[in-house]
């Protein structure tokens, strides 16, 4: 049978190629099968005719030879030609018999499979009727992270997908989709882009410009946010109509740089301003930190009550509102809030004595790793880049999951290890190995799957940033106009409207049952940070809440 690729190329080159492409898959396969079988019979009959004359010495008409081959293919017998005397003739006929047997098992599934799949598979929707909704054009980077966020918030949306497999997966989750080519204006028209509130483009970088132009052909004024791997095409995307170009990997890399420079520069702070001279901070405790070995109550007392310990990461898990006698050790990261001056003073004391010219090992030199390396160029840090592949900026070539590679990079004397490997399982292995080789090493890890955060913390990571969470926060801020305090931290901090909780005390609201922490309440422009469970909400306030993304997103308001 002719190859599928070759036959497709021939058929598509014919004048009626457009009609051919519109035929159902099973019809195209049936036509190709008929053409291939006819060609095979004609070639086989010519060979059989030759064999009968040369090896059997029985000249006969070509028509008779064709008849014999057809009889063989259909299994109806051989008539007067059998038996054959020559070994070559018998071998040739045996091959014809076997080919007939194999053709049945090849052709039937080839032709009938699309028919069965089409009959058993659900029909993929190619249009919707919506307005004031968000259109997700592809889910290349986000996968289903933003979908989960929209559903938790009750945001109306639709996803445009051009992969049948992805479309079927989303349909199983009851996700509204439009199946069609992402670069086609007709597809965007079918997704009601002309009535949408915003469009998020999450396709391959090279396709994004074409997607934007297709969107512009339907609605030139709709707000468009584009997710890309790198910024080399940012100008093209802006020219094509993008209102905002987001590069989550670059943002994550820059956040890691901020984290490292804070530890080595006394003049910089990693705290987040909440307003009214109040700040919040994620504080990593090291072996030589003054608060190592102190209880939570002692940490708060030393700041004269100006700083409160809201929670802590310990043994891989986040614990909100820890008990006063909980001991703070070098495996702890604290979540603090209080007056800006007190938070800053505690941060300085904790990082006092840290190496001001540290060695930073960067495992993985992709987008995140290279962003960290470039960001630390102007600092006092010395970077050692480790990657599996050689490169101009790579100092140690090798597998970071192996002891010899990390030792060659100087892990025993290094200050910080940035694990920027794409594979989460390998990143967990690197963290575990580094923790055993140098327990005082500050291990900062990038994760691609939210579910792996606890595992990598248990493996020895001190600071974990999730790529899907960060990109989800940025998109929520851009598309939903979410009042996000900061997107680059381990937990999500957001201001929410108090209207759904009006007339109730905090202890009587959903906030009390949620796995979140109320940091402050902004009332009449004044930030109240001492908010007991009996604090009654009027409904016109803003509540500052911190917690895991999925917990915060589930809150009303």
């Amino acid at each position: 049978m002719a190859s599928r690729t070759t036959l497709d190329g021939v058929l598509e080159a014919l004048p009626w190629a457009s009609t051919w492409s519109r035929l159902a898959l099973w019809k195209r396969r049936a036509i190709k099968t008929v053409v291939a079988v006819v060609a095979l019979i004609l070639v086989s009959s010519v060979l059989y005719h030759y064999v009968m004359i040369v090896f059997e010495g029985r000249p006969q008409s070509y028509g008779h030879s064709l008849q014999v081959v057809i009889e063989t293919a259909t299994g109806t017998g051989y008539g007067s030609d059998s038996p054959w005397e020559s070994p070559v003739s018998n071998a040739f006929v045996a091959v014809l018999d076997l080919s007939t047997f194999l053709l049945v098992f090849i052709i039937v599934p080839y032709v009938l499979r699309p028919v069965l799949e089409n009959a058993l598979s659900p029909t993929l929707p190619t249009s919707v009727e919506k307005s004031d909704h968000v259109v997700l054009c592809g889910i290349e980077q986000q996968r289903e992270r933003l979908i989960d966020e929209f559903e938790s918030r009750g945001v109306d949306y639709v996803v445009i997908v051009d992969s049948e497999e992805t479309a079927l997966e989303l349909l199983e989750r009851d996700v509204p989709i439009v199946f069609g080519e992402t670069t086609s204006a007709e597809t965007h028209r079918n997704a009601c882009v002309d009535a949408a509130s915003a469009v998020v483009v999450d396709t391959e970088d090279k396709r994004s410009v074409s997607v934007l132009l297709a969107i512009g052909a339907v609605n030139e004024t709709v707000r468009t946010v584009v997710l890309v791997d790198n910024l080399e095409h940012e100008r093209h995307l802006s020219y094509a109509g993008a209102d905002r170009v987001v590069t989550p990997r670059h943002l994550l890399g820059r956040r890691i740089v901020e984290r490292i420079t804070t530890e080595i520069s006394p003049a910089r702070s990693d705290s987040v301003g909440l307003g009214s001279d109040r700040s919040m901070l994620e504080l990593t405790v090291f072996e030589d930190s003054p608060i190592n070995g102190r209880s939570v109550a002692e940490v708060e007392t030393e700041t004269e009550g100006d700083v409160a310990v809201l929670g802590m990461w310990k043994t891989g898990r986040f614990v909100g509102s820890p008990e006063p006698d909980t001991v703070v050790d070098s495996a702890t990261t604290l979540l603090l809030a209080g007056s800006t001056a007190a938070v800053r003073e505690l941060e300085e004391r904790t990082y006092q004595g840290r190496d001001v010219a540290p060695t930073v090992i960067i495992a993985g030199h992709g987008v995140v790793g290279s962003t960290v390396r470039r960001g630390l160029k102007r600092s006092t840090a010395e970077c050692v880049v480790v990657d599996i592949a050689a490169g101009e900026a790579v100092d140690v070539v090798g597998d970071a999951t192996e002891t010899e590679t990390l030792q060659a990079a100087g892990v025993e004397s290094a200050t910080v290890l940035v694990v920027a490997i794409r594979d989460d399982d390998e990143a967990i292995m690197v963290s575990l190995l580094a923790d055993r080789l140098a327990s005082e090493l500050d291990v900062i890890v990038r994760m691609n799957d939210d579910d792996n955060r606890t595992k990598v913390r248990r493996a020895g990571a001190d600071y974990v940033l999730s790529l899907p969470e960060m990109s989800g926060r940025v998109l929520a801020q851009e598309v939903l106009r979410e009042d996000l305090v900061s997107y680059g931290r381990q937990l999500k901090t957001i201001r929410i409207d108090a209207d759904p909780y009006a007339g109730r005390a905090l202890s009587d609201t959903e906030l009390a049952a949620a796995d979140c922490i109320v940091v402050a309440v902004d009332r009449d422009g004044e930030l109240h940070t001492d908010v007991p469970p009996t604090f009654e909400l009027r409904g016109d306030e803003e509540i500052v809440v911190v917690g895991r993304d999925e917990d915060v997103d589930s809150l009303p308001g």
Side-chain angles (χ1 to χ4, degrees):
M1 188 178 295
S3 75
R4 178 171 184 257
T5 303
T6 304
L7 196 52
D8 274 337
V10 172
L11 293 169
E12 289 173 3
L14 295 174
W16 38 269
S18 59
T19 304
W20 169 260
S21 63
R22 288 196 297 270
L23 288 175
L25 178 59
W26 74 270
K27 291 181 179 179
R28 295 201 302 267
R29 287 188 173 185
I31 293 172
K32 287 187 288 183
T33 299
V34 170
V35 172
V37 169
V38 169
L40 179 63
I41 289 175
L42 291 175
V43 171
S44 298
S45 63
V46 170
L47 292 175
Y48 180 75
H49 190 67
Y50 175 79
V51 167
M52 291 300 292
I53 294 173
V54 175
F55 294 99
E56 290 294 317
R58 287 193 270 172
Q60 57 189 26
S61 68
Y62 173 73
H64 180 74
S65 297
L66 177 62
Q67 178 189 356
V68 171
V69 171
I70 293 175
E71 289 173 344
T72 304
T74 57
T76 57
Y78 297 102
S80 59
D81 277 4
S82 61
W84 295 269
E85 302 295 333
S86 166
V88 174
S89 301
N90 281 287
F92 181 76
V93 172
V95 170
L96 283 179
D97 288 338
L98 290 174
S99 65
T100 302
F101 178 76
L102 291 174
L103 280 175
V104 173
F105 289 93
I106 294 174
I107 292 174
V108 172
Y110 178 73
V111 176
L112 294 183
R113 182 181 174 184
V115 179
L116 294 173
E117 287 181 346
N118 187 58
L120 298 175
S121 300
T123 302
L124 298 177
T126 56
S127 64
V128 293
E129 289 295 332
K130 288 180 179 288
S131 63
D132 197 27
H133 60 297
V134 178
V135 177
L136 301 183
C137 187
I139 49 173
E140 183 76 19
Q141 296 187 49
Q142 271 287 291
R143 298 308 300 168
E144 298 176 21
R145 182 71 183 81
L146 194 58
I147 293 174
D148 293 336
E149 187 142 351
F150 283 167
E151 289 185 347
S152 68
R153 294 176 171 277
V155 175
D156 194 15
Y157 69 96
V158 65
V159 184
I160 297 177
V161 287
D162 53 12
S163 163
E164 187 173 342
E165 181 181 354
T166 303
L168 290 172
E169 289 176 0
L170 294 177
L171 275 182
E172 288 181 1
R173 277 195 53 189
D174 293 327
V175 172
I177 70 163
V178 167
F179 181 64
E181 182 57 53
T182 55
T183 57
S184 167
E186 186 63 26
T187 301
H188 293 282
R189 194 171 287 109
N190 291 338
C192 297
V193 166
D194 54 336
S197 60
V199 180
V200 177
V201 179
D202 186 8
T203 61
E204 295 178 359
D205 286 8
K206 61 183 179 182
R207 291 171 62 88
S208 296
V209 170
S210 295
V211 172
L212 285 170
L213 293 174
I215 293 170
V218 179
N219 188 344
E220 293 183 345
T221 60
V222 67
R223 179 170 178 77
T224 54
V225 181
V226 185
L227 264 73
V228 293
D229 272 333
N230 54 69
L231 290 173
E232 63 181 84
H233 300 305
E234 182 179 18
R235 183 174 299 177
H236 302 81
L237 294 169
S238 297
Y239 291 161
D243 294 294
R244 180 83 156 86
V245 179
V246 178
T247 55
R249 289 177 174 82
H250 280 91
L251 294 175
L252 192 145
R254 291 170 190 162
R255 170 61 195 137
I256 293 174
V257 172
E258 291 176 2
R259 170 75 182 177
I260 295 172
T261 53
T262 297
E263 294 180 13
I264 64 179
S265 175
R268 303 192 65 167
S269 175
D270 199 37
S271 60
V272 177
L274 301 174
S276 300
D277 195 35
R278 311 296 289 182
S279 296
M280 189 171 63
L281 173 69
E282 293 176 357
L283 184 69
T284 301
V285 180
F286 300 100
E287 187 69 32
D288 53 0
S289 298
I291 61 175
N292 181 30
R294 306 285 181 87
S295 68
V296 168
E298 289 174 329
V299 172
E300 293 179 337
T301 301
E302 287 180 4
T303 62
E304 298 181 354
D306 286 340
V307 174
V309 178
L310 303 178
M312 60 168 52
W313 286 268
K314 200 174 181 68
T315 63
R317 296 187 178 278
F318 179 75
V319 180
S321 304
E323 295 295 328
D325 58 351
T326 303
V327 176
V328 177
D329 56 30
S330 57
T332 303
T333 298
L334 298 174
L335 178 65
L336 310 170
S339 70
T340 300
V343 168
R344 183 75 182 93
E345 192 272 334
L346 180 59
E347 182 181 22
E348 288 180 357
R349 283 198 299 116
T350 302
Y351 292 151
Q352 191 174 18
R354 295 288 290 171
D355 191 354
V356 295
T359 298
V360 178
I361 300 175
I362 303 172
H365 197 245
V367 176
V368 175
S370 58
T371 301
V372 174
R373 179 184 59 80
R374 289 193 298 269
L376 291 174
K377 269 187 175 182
R378 296 182 181 180
S379 72
T380 56
E382 176 189 355
C383 292
V384 179
V385 178
V386 178
D387 199 272
I388 196 70
E392 184 178 346
V394 177
D395 302 296
V396 178
V397 179
D399 187 349
T401 63
E402 297 179 357
T403 303
E404 296 76 12
T405 302
L406 290 183
Q407 288 178 335
V411 68
E412 290 94 344
S413 58
T415 310
V416 181
L417 169 65
V418 177
V419 184
I421 299 173
R422 183 180 292 271
D423 186 272
D424 280 6
D425 291 330
E426 291 185 5
I428 292 171
M429 291 173 64
V430 174
S431 304
L432 186 64
L433 181 60
D435 187 58
R436 298 302 182 271
L437 295 175
S439 59
E440 290 308 303
L441 190 67
D442 184 18
V443 181
I444 303 173
V445 185
R446 154 260 182 103
M447 283 279 104
N448 294 307
D449 188 339
D450 296 344
D451 295 335
N452 290 327
R453 290 172 300 177
T454 299
K455 287 186 284 187
V456 75
R457 282 188 173 282
R458 293 182 66 84
D462 298 292
Y463 201 79
V464 182
L465 290 173
S466 164
L467 185 62
E469 274 191 351
M470 179 169 287
S471 54
R473 293 171 188 174
V474 174
L475 286 174
Q477 188 176 34
E478 291 293 333
V479 176
L480 304 179
R481 301 301 188 181
E482 191 173 70
D483 193 358
L484 196 66
V485 176
S486 174
Y487 61 78
R489 299 300 189 270
Q490 298 181 96
L491 294 178
K492 186 173 186 176
T493 307
I494 187 174
R495 290 175 176 265
I496 62 174
D497 191 359
D499 183 60
Y501 316 106
R504 290 184 285 170
L506 280 173
S507 58
D508 298 329
T509 67
E510 293 87 340
L511 294 166
D515 195 11
C516 302
I517 301 169
V518 175
V519 180
V521 175
D522 191 341
R523 173 180 286 176
D524 299 329
E526 182 181 352
L527 199 68
H528 298 264
T529 54
D530 185 12
V531 282
T534 56
F535 189 94
E536 187 169 331
L537 297 166
R538 297 187 317 219
D540 59 349
E541 305 96 339
E542 282 190 337
I543 308 171
V544 182
V545 181
V546 62
R548 296 181 304 172
D549 287 56
E550 56 268 31
D551 295 324
V552 173
D553 292 343
S554 65
L555 294 173

